[in-house]
Amino acid sequence: MHNLPSAKATEWMATLADYTADPSDKRFTEVLRALHDEPNVLVVFNHPLWDLYLIGKEKHEFLVGEFLVKNGNYLHALELNGLRNWDENRAVRRLAEKWNMLLISGGDRHGVEPNANINLSNATSFTEFVHEIRREKKSDTLFMPQYAQPWKHRILQSTLDAIRHYPEFPQGSRTWDERVYHPDASGVVRPLSELWPKGTPPLGISWLLGMVQLMGAAPVSGGLRRAWSEERQLRMALGE
């Protein structure tokens, strides 16, 4: 959900919090319908074909179809995700064709890599961009050259970015465990760096992170990049 009206921000956050506390399919559709009625709001179905909870491709696609039957009229675009793989984004394109929906760029950013796909627009504000999508039904998406790099290698690089030490960051956010939060025994959300029993990450976690860092070091990184080559997927995508 993008571009919620600032004058109704408190009202909308209360509505969303109420839904989170007591979710239901019927209430969800009501919320989407109300968002759709806001003329400057953009509602995007993010990475619709990512089976995040591993329920199986067939069941996931069935549930996506069921969801679109109920709520498709209140969604303004499906996302092409710059950090998902070729096959999934191609399948999303076919899904958009099936449901006569627009495609829009999205990066799912969790690292420092620039977005791998962007929307091209003549809009001078986000509200104008929303009108291009909703009223003009126009969306021009550009995939950047980095998307042609092996997907698994890009995921590795994003992981390395997440666990890297950043001495130039403000104090309290320089190490990875200062940037990751978890409830303590009392339910208070605190940085992991404050929760370690001995003041440092457990040996097993440190070992795992060390292995990831090794994968990102030369020459291991170069070998993995060649092993994860996606030339075939690239040719198929360009052929379509």
Side-chain angles (χ1 to χ4, degrees), residues 104-147:
I104 197 170
S105 66
D108 200 18
R109 303 304 311 120
H110 296 289
V112 299
E113 176 192 342
N115 227 36
N117 62 340
I118 59 176
N119 258 73
L120 304 179
S121 171
N122 291 318
T124 58
S125 68
F126 195 82
T127 297
E128 286 187 15
F129 175 68
V130 173
H131 291 180
E132 282 188 355
I133 300 296
R134 294 190 55 172
R135 296 180 183 177
E136 300 177 28
K137 304 296 182 182
K138 181 175 68 175
S139 178
D140 298 311
T141 304
L142 173 67
F143 279 81
M144 306 301 284
Q146 73 205 55
Y147 192 76

Side-chain angles (χ1 to χ4, degrees), residues 126-176:
F126 195 82
T127 297
E128 286 187 15
F129 175 68
V130 173
H131 291 180
E132 282 188 355
I133 300 296
R134 294 190 55 172
R135 296 180 183 177
E136 300 177 28
K137 304 296 182 182
K138 181 175 68 175
S139 178
D140 298 311
T141 304
L142 173 67
F143 279 81
M144 306 301 284
Q146 73 205 55
Y147 192 76
Q149 299 173 12
W151 175 66
K152 291 180 181 178
H153 194 267
R154 291 179 56 225
I155 295 294
L156 172 61
Q157 293 302 314
S158 291
T159 303
L160 291 169
D161 290 340
I163 65 176
R164 185 172 289 119
H165 179 63
Y166 294 94
E168 73 278 14
F169 278 21
Q171 189 172 357
S173 62
R174 295 171 181 171
T175 63
W176 73 270

Side-chain angles (χ1 to χ4, degrees), residues 22-196:
D22 185 23
S24 70
D25 288 353
K26 180 182 178 182
R27 180 58 180 147
F28 185 76
T29 299
E30 291 172 352
V31 170
L32 279 182
R33 185 186 297 116
L35 286 165
H36 175 71
D37 288 343
E38 296 280 359
N40 298 327
V41 167
L42 182 66
V43 182
V44 179
F45 189 176
N46 287 348
H47 35 66
L49 294 181
W50 180 12
D51 182 13
L52 179 61
Y53 296 102
L54 303 178
I55 63 174
K57 180 176 182 291
E58 184 175 343
K59 184 176 181 180
H60 179 83
E61 291 182 353
F62 172 81
L63 292 174
V64 167
E66 190 176 62
F67 174 80
L68 289 174
V69 167
K70 296 177 181 177
N71 303 296
N73 289 336
Y74 313 121
L75 303 173
H76 307 133
L78 301 179
E79 179 204 47
L80 291 172
N81 190 292
L83 212 58
R84 300 301 300 159
N85 58 58
W86 289 99
D87 290 343
E88 184 176 308
N89 276 325
R90 288 165 58 222
V92 171
R93 185 173 66 83
R94 293 191 293 269
L95 182 69
E97 291 175 351
K98 177 180 178 181
W99 290 90
N100 192 30
M101 296 182 70
L102 287 182
L103 293 166
I104 197 170
S105 66
D108 200 18
R109 303 304 311 120
H110 296 289
V112 299
E113 176 192 342
N115 227 36
N117 62 340
I118 59 176
N119 258 73
L120 304 179
S121 171
N122 291 318
T124 58
S125 68
F126 195 82
T127 297
E128 286 187 15
F129 175 68
V130 173
H131 291 180
E132 282 188 355
I133 300 296
R134 294 190 55 172
R135 296 180 183 177
E136 300 177 28
K137 304 296 182 182
K138 181 175 68 175
S139 178
D140 298 311
T141 304
L142 173 67
F143 279 81
M144 306 301 284
Q146 73 205 55
Y147 192 76
Q149 299 173 12
W151 175 66
K152 291 180 181 178
H153 194 267
R154 291 179 56 225
I155 295 294
L156 172 61
Q157 293 302 314
S158 291
T159 303
L160 291 169
D161 290 340
I163 65 176
R164 185 172 289 119
H165 179 63
Y166 294 94
E168 73 278 14
F169 278 21
Q171 189 172 357
S173 62
R174 295 171 181 171
T175 63
W176 73 270
D177 56 353
E178 292 176 325
R179 302 187 296 268
V180 177
Y181 291 75
H182 194 277
D184 63 14
S186 302
V188 179
V189 177
R190 298 165 57 194
L192 284 181
S193 59
E194 299 179 3
L195 301 180
W196 303 130

